[in-house]
Amino acid sequence: ANSAYLELHYIPWVSNVCVILIAVPRNYDPVLHPFEVPREYTRALNATKLERVFAKPFLSSLDGHRDGVNCMAKHPKSLSTVLSGACDGEVKIWNLTKRQCIRTIQAHEGFVRGMCARFCGTSFFTVGDDKTVKQWKMESPEYGEEEEPIHTVLGKTVYTGIDHHWKDAVFATCGHQVDIWDEQRTSPMCSLTWGFDSISSVKFNPIETYLLGSCASDRNIVLYDMRKSTPLKKVILNMRTNTLCWNPMEAFVFTAANEDYNLYTFDMRFLESPVTVHMDHVSAVLDVDYSPTGKEFVSASFDKSVRIFPVDKGHSREVYHTKRMQHVITVKWTSDNKYILCGSDEMNIRLWKANASEKLGVLAPREKAAMNYNQKLKEKFQYHPQIRRIAQHRHLPKSIYCQIKEQRIMREARRRKELNRRKHSKPGSMPFVSERKKHIVAVVK
């Protein structure tokens, strides 16, 4: 149990600096430290308070678009490069290090509905309201060279989304149906459809790369297998799903952003009920994106806020908003797990820290050690009422605060009504339905 650490002593009367190393014994026996827990509790309380004091997540605003930002894409090879498409058909490429636009392209007439980068990072694809799919070089044109797409494919209907395969020269578009394209061909390799409604989003699985997921406006989430050229199964929810995102670490897990203010994390093998229902937004959820670690995801909502959810928790750990920010349409989590980008109606792209109180820049070893120690203390005492209250408190805009209050009253009223009905009904005639299964209408295979 005995240990020792070394003390440094400076003796002023010696002309040269003299360092004497003295071993000081330290006994770690808990019996000899009866006040260790109260001391640690005070430190944990101070660390939690300081975390809230230093929580300044907003970093900068990238402005330059002349219309609302409708979609964004990450560069697969460069952390500092991000692409954005606006409602006026303009595409901009941004350098996040300099926080400025490095290139502007007038890509489409009307909205830019979707965009994605090629897996190698040499080019990117855009789709728009003018029924075209265009492939562009990532590099700027040479002096005197015109800004023109590499390829243009004219479709029969408006395309509402696009995503590129993670390994092959294949991409998928959605609109009236899901089309799988080879980059070298002007007609789709195969078309996948199940139902007769418009499809708003399509996403390739990053691990099992032959799997796709799509969301349609008839409330369906449909899963496809590219090798079979047929749909696998679909789940029908109570309300429409706007988009979905696959977990980059767990091949079968995806999260869907729904119109009923919730997000649903599904395991594609068991679609009968979601793994977790994430409830905190007070308006339709428009976009969702996973962190590279697969442990958290970020969501963008019509209620003018951005929230960060742990995958296994039903409530958000963080909510970001500004006075000027309007409906948030698109959101991305950067590939280094440090930043979040969101694009909104009022033409701005905002850059946030993923961890609100994190200190940016190089940390000294002592700073890093203190930070890790404080983090462990906060985890140890996280369920103590005072610490929990401080850690969970967030300032909300008045509109969101009032809506949360109103929805709480409505939920309580529904619960009370259900209890009264059950109490005055024949025993067993009204079975209990779990919160997870309430939102699922059917699963079709």
Side-chain angles (χ1 to χ4, degrees):
N2 287 325
S3 176
Y5 69 92
L6 302 176
E7 260 190 12
L8 302 182
H9 286 265
Y10 170 59
I11 303 174
W13 59 82
V14 181
S15 57
N16 295 323
V17 173
C18 178
V19 176
I20 301 171
L21 300 176
I22 303 169
V24 180
R26 170 98 188 268
N27 195 324
Y28 287 97
D29 185 1
V31 178
L32 301 174
H33 302 278
F35 298 114
E36 186 180 13
V37 173
R39 265 202 309 271
E40 283 191 341
Y41 174 77
T42 306
R43 286 173 187 167
L45 190 63
N46 290 340
T48 309
K49 286 176 181 175
L50 285 172
E51 184 189 38
R52 298 315 311 147
V53 167
F54 292 119
K56 292 179 171 59
F58 181 70
L59 292 174
S60 74
S61 169
L62 309 175
D63 45 355
H65 277 294
R66 291 170 298 179
D67 209 334
V69 181
N70 198 47
C71 54
M72 286 196 295
K74 293 183 281 191
H75 193 292
K77 303 286 183 187
S78 168
L79 287 173
S80 61
T81 307
V82 70
L83 304 97
S84 63
C87 297
D88 59 354
E90 199 174 63
V91 169
K92 284 184 180 287
I93 301 176
W94 303 87
N95 185 321
L96 295 180
T97 313
K98 296 176 182 174
R99 296 180 190 176
Q100 64 186 29
C101 175
I102 53 175
R103 188 173 161 208
T104 304
I105 306 163
Q106 187 58 45
H108 295 276
E109 293 171 16
F111 284 38
V112 180
R113 290 289 175 186
M115 60 196 315
C116 65
R118 199 172 187 272
F119 62 91
C120 60
T122 54
S123 62
F124 64 94
F125 295 81
T126 60
V127 291
D129 276 356
D130 53 4
K131 302 182 183 179
T132 57
V133 181
K134 294 183 181 180
Q135 183 181 6
W136 306 83
K137 280 183 183 173
M138 194 67 78
E139 297 298 321
S140 300
E142 299 293 327
Y143 180 73
E145 191 182 340
E146 284 189 22
E147 185 78 84
E148 286 185 345
I150 305 168
H151 299 298
T152 303
V153 177
L154 185 61
K156 294 175 183 174
T157 56
V158 174
Y159 296 112
T160 54
I162 186 168
D163 196 33
H164 201 283
H165 195 278
W166 290 77
K167 292 176 183 173
D168 300 334
V170 172
F171 64 91
T173 59
C174 63
H176 181 61
Q177 60 192 11
V178 173
D179 293 324
I180 311 293
W181 303 76
D182 190 306
E183 286 181 12
Q184 306 303 320
R185 293 172 60 178
T186 54
S187 58
M189 294 192 297
C190 70
S191 296
L192 306 163
T193 183
W194 193 356
F196 301 96
D197 229 313
S198 59
I199 296 162
S200 57
S201 169
V202 63
K203 292 285 169 71
F204 275 100
N205 191 316
I207 303 167
E208 302 291 346
T209 50
Y210 47 81
L211 290 176
L212 296 104
S214 74
C215 310
S217 54
D218 56 356
R219 303 176 297 157
N220 291 343
I221 299 172
V222 188
L223 303 176
Y224 307 95
D225 191 334
M226 217 167 64
R227 297 168 300 181
K228 289 184 179 178
S229 301
T230 54
L232 288 174
K233 51 172 99 168
K234 70 175 174 181
V235 56
I236 305 167
L237 281 77
N238 278 330
M239 290 185 79
R240 190 181 78 186
T241 301
N242 288 314
T243 186
L244 61 86
C245 186
W246 293 93
N247 190 319
M249 289 294 160
E250 296 181 57
F252 302 110
V253 177
F254 65 89
T255 297
N258 204 275
E259 285 278 326
D260 65 359
Y261 315 168
N262 298 338
L263 294 109
Y264 301 98
T265 297
F266 284 96
D267 186 323
M268 66 170 282
R269 297 165 295 181
F270 313 107
L271 291 175
E272 286 72 22
S273 73
V275 179
T276 316
V277 180
H278 308 276
M279 312 165 75
D280 259 347
H281 282 294
V282 292
S283 197
V285 188
L286 301 179
D287 199 12
V288 59
D289 192 38
Y290 264 94
S291 70
T293 59
K295 292 181 178 179
E296 291 182 320
F297 61 83
V298 60
S299 64
S301 173
F302 199 76
D303 64 12
K304 308 177 188 177
S305 71
V306 172
R307 286 184 183 267
I308 301 171
F309 290 87
V311 173
D312 54 346
K313 298 283 195 309
H315 294 283
S316 61
R317 73 158 173 87
E318 204 65 74
V319 54
Y320 294 159
H321 54 87
T322 68
K323 281 185 181 177
R324 211 187 133 196
M325 189 158 76
Q326 295 302 306
H327 312 308
V328 190
I329 298 168
T330 177
V331 70
K332 289 288 175 214
W333 198 311
T334 57
S335 302
D336 61 349
N337 200 34
K338 279 187 174 292
Y339 306 102
I340 286 164
L341 290 148
C342 70
S344 51
D345 255 358
E346 86 305 332
M347 305 176 282
N348 271 15
I349 296 168
R350 288 181 174 79
L351 183 65
W352 309 83
K353 287 191 278 190
N355 188 1
S357 58
E358 184 183 16
K359 185 186 173 187
L360 298 179
V362 180
L363 291 176
R366 285 181 66 183
E367 275 183 308
K368 204 176 281 186
M371 195 177 69
N372 292 338
Y373 176 58
N374 286 339
Q375 185 61 36
K376 284 295 174 190
L377 284 178
K378 283 183 283 187
E379 285 172 17
K380 182 177 176 180
F381 293 96
Q382 62 184 327
Y383 297 112
H384 282 243
Q386 188 76 352
I387 288 176
R388 189 175 181 177
R389 183 185 66 80
I390 295 165
Q392 288 186 345
H393 177 76
R394 296 290 180 277
H395 170 74
L396 292 169
K398 190 178 178 183
S399 59
I400 295 179
Y401 180 78
C402 293
Q403 280 177 288
I404 288 173
K405 210 163 149 186
E406 189 182 329
Q407 284 181 14
R408 195 183 294 130
I409 294 165
M410 287 162 67
R411 259 199 315 272
E412 184 57 35
R414 278 198 299 269
R415 192 186 68 83
R416 210 163 46 241
K417 187 176 182 180
E418 196 179 327
L419 283 173
N420 288 338
R421 275 186 175 173
R422 190 169 282 112
K423 192 162 70 174
H424 298 289
S425 299
K426 188 180 173 183
S429 63
M430 287 189 68
F432 284 95
V433 181
S434 70
E435 186 61 43
R436 291 178 186 177
K437 292 192 176 180
K438 274 179 189 172
H439 309 280
I440 307 297
V441 176
V443 177
V444 187
K445 296 183 182 179

